[in-house]
Amino acid sequence: MTDRMRTVEVTEPGPAEHLRLGSRPMPQPGAGELLIRVAASGVNRPDVLQRKGHYPPPPGASDVLGLEVAGEIVGGDLPAMAQAGLRVGERVCALVAGGGYADHCVAPVAQCLPVPAGLSDVQAASLPETFFTVWSNVFDRGRLKAGETLLVQGGSSGIGITAIQLARAWGATVLATAGSDEKCVACVRLGAAHAIDYKTQDFAAEARRLTGGRGVDVILDMVAGDYVAREVQCLAEDGRLVIIAVQGGVQAQFDAGLVLRKRLTITGSTLRVRPVAFKGAIARALREHVWPLFASGAVQPVIHATFAAADAAKAHALMESNRHIGKIVLTW
């Protein structure tokens, strides 16, 4: 090992062209942490927001972009690793609060998971951010159960494809929205019972029609804004709306009377700022309940494109174009 690592740096907040390769001192793992030699780094929409200067890292986190990595453990807190069933030389994927766009990354041991058997590092790097998010919001906050119906807004996104597959594996019926025929077909292929083209159809009316007027039990929403009013309309009695992003704006007006009469729950969350203990609990739940689904084939990574780390600007441009179906990954 050298005393330096390669990174992707933001030269100044702004467009994707401001991403450049750079280097920094090698990070040192502390108590409860390990060091990963990174083979692949997942690309996520929060990375784009941070690059533009709109999403600063939480206190104490690296200002290097990147929230998920996969690679080989090369050092760290050995007792903590042993307690978690991990060891030096093992391939892991990890959720991090920053620092993922680098060829080495420090991660809390509690937020690391072994790479599922048969998966490549690229596939593994596509898992943590979306699987942690979906588990926490669809199953913990949204309380989705077998036999219920889930509506996923943006079904062809990284979050969307994960939510579709996990909900289907849990025995739920999934409806998804997407912005083209190609994306709708992909959602159905991944397990959605129906896909709604939000550009040509009223998703709320379609959701009510497809459920025989009953409505859906849970909605996973990455849009907010004026979507909220329509989501309240198409939720079933005792339905749950979970908001995880505000791409459509932070202001929403809706019929509060419907919330009362249908006993609805409107909730939301962010994950990046939550403590290690909280994220570690999600990791343990994923290892117990979700990781076996990779072996059975019930759940699988969906990679749209990979880019060399030197081409991170191209990866971000693709993310912003919204042309992708599934995940975008950088390789080192």
Side-chain angles (χ1 to χ4, degrees):
M1 292 177 58
T2 68
D3 60 355
R4 305 284 296 181
M5 66 173 179
R6 293 175 294 157
T7 61
V8 174
E9 299 286 343
V10 181
T11 57
E12 61 178 319
E17 291 73 21
H18 288 181
L19 295 176
R20 295 284 187 277
L21 280 182
S23 71
R24 293 196 183 192
M26 184 70 66
Q28 300 300 314
E33 296 179 332
L34 53 75
L35 180 65
I36 300 169
R37 181 186 295 119
V38 177
S41 309
V43 176
N44 295 281
R45 201 163 294 275
D47 305 341
V48 173
L49 293 176
Q50 183 175 335
R51 187 203 76 220
K52 293 179 176 181
H54 302 322
Y55 190 35
S62 170
D63 66 337
V64 173
L65 303 181
L67 303 177
E68 58 185 350
V69 298
E72 179 186 350
I73 300 173
V74 292
D77 184 336
L78 296 180
M81 283 191 281
Q83 186 174 4
L86 300 174
R87 64 187 186 280
V88 172
E90 186 171 1
R91 293 168 61 231
V92 293
C93 55
L95 181 75
V96 293
Y101 286 15
D103 66 9
H104 286 78
C105 181
V106 166
V109 172
Q111 295 171 205
C112 296
L113 288 161
V115 173
L119 266 58
S120 67
D121 289 324
V122 166
Q123 291 173 314
S126 76
L127 303 179
E129 173 68 11
T130 60
F131 277 79
F132 276 70
T133 298
V134 169
W135 183 268
S136 180
N137 288 284
V138 173
F139 296 97
D140 285 345
R141 301 192 72 80
R143 308 186 307 280
L144 182 70
K145 300 185 290 292
E148 292 190 321
T149 301
L150 170 70
L151 172 61
V152 179
Q153 304 285 21
S156 63
S157 67
I159 293 287
I161 61 173
T162 301
I164 290 170
Q165 293 187 82
L166 284 183
R168 174 68 182 273
W170 241 249
T173 299
V174 185
L175 310 180
T177 64
S180 70
D181 289 343
E182 179 187 10
K183 290 182 176 181
C184 285
V185 168
C187 291
V188 172
R189 185 175 66 247
L190 288 166
H194 300 278
I196 303 165
D197 188 335
Y198 64 82
K199 293 183 177 179
T200 61
Q201 297 173 290
D202 180 340
F203 74 79
E206 280 297 292
R208 290 194 300 269
R209 182 185 68 82
L210 291 167
T211 57
R214 177 182 177 276
V216 299
D217 299 288
V218 180
I219 299 175
L220 182 63
D221 178 22
M222 295 168 267
V223 183
D226 61 9
Y227 267 42
V228 176
R230 287 183 282 166
E231 289 166 338
V232 166
Q233 293 171 0
C234 69
L235 277 167
E237 291 188 356
D238 297 304
R240 290 85 74 192
L241 167 59
V242 188
I243 301 171
I244 61 170
V246 290
Q247 296 176 32
V250 298
Q251 300 297 323
Q253 291 185 330
F254 55 88
D255 185 343
L258 281 177
V259 176
L260 299 179
R261 292 191 295 274
K262 294 198 287 185
R263 304 175 302 279
L264 305 181
T265 299
I266 300 175
T267 185
S269 74
T270 59
L271 183 59
R272 190 178 187 184
V273 298
R274 299 303 297 272
V276 171
F278 179 84
K279 297 173 188 175
I282 299 173
R284 291 191 296 273
L286 289 173
R287 189 166 185 174
E288 178 181 356
H289 299 293
V290 175
W291 253 225
L293 298 176
F294 288 105
S296 69
V299 173
Q300 57 187 339
V302 179
I303 309 298
H304 181 88
T306 61
F307 294 87
D311 292 324
K314 294 180 181 178
H316 274 226
L318 175 59
M319 172 70 72
E320 292 181 274
S321 76
N322 292 319
R323 296 194 309 269
H324 60 293
I325 298 173
K327 292 297 295 270
I328 302 167
V329 178
L330 302 177
T331 59
W332 290 92

